[in-house]
């Protein structure tokens, strides 16, 4: 039987993609290791945005190569709305 793989990539667009933080010293903590780094957001923002864009492009490209449907979801919006919107879009494509 053929299975379909769909990726719902949950991201906080404002912080994880745009890196919008106040320009004051910030401590970022790795939730898995507990490692902390201190940064000044404006000093790393441009480089970070470049790296995250490359990372997301790599994920999207790999999904396309493997015929996996990629759906980015901003965590600021309700999951039920995101899923409903997806299902409506999918239903329209299947007609």
């Amino acid at each position: 039987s053929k299975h379909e793989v769909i990726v719902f990539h949950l991201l906080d667009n404002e912080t994880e993609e745009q890196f919008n933080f106040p320009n004051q010293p910030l401590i970022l903590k790795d939730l898995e290791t507990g490692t902390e780094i201190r940064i000044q957001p404006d000093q790393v923002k441009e480089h970070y945005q470049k790296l995250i864009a490359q990372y997301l492009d790599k994920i999207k490209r790999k999904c396309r190569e493997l015929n996996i449907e990629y759906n980015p979801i901003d965590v600021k919006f309700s999951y039920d709305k995101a899923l409903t919107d997806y299902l409506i879009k999918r239903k329209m494509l299947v007609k």
Side-chain angles (χ1 to χ4, degrees):
S1 74
K2 183 178 178 183
H3 296 283
E4 187 173 0
V5 178
I6 303 166
V7 170
F8 291 97
H9 190 173
L10 304 175
L11 291 166
D12 181 334
N13 182 55
E14 187 176 345
T15 58
E16 290 183 274
E17 288 187 69
Q18 302 305 316
F19 206 75
N20 286 333
F21 292 100
N23 190 29
Q24 59 190 32
L26 182 66
I27 299 172
L28 299 178
K29 183 175 183 175
D30 184 321
L31 297 177
E32 294 175 5
T33 66
T35 302
E36 293 182 349
I37 60 170
R38 297 173 189 276
I39 64 163
Q40 187 71 32
D42 281 1
Q43 292 177 352
V44 298
K45 183 175 184 171
E46 188 175 320
H47 183 65
Y48 173 87
Q49 288 174 325
K50 179 181 171 186
L51 292 176
I52 195 70
Q54 291 171 350
Y55 171 74
L56 294 173
D57 284 345
K58 183 178 177 181
I59 291 173
K60 292 173 195 172
R61 191 171 44 255
K62 189 51 112 173
C63 284
R64 274 193 309 273
E65 288 172 11
L66 298 172
N67 291 318
I68 296 171
E69 185 174 343
Y70 177 81
N71 295 282
I73 307 284
D74 190 334
V75 298
K76 292 245 185 321
F77 301 103
S78 70
Y79 299 113
D80 60 339
K81 179 169 177 9
L83 186 55
T84 300
D85 290 350
Y86 168 78
L87 292 172
I88 290 169
K89 177 184 88 172
R90 185 178 171 90
K91 185 176 183 180
M92 294 173 129
L93 292 175
V94 172
K95 286 183 176 183

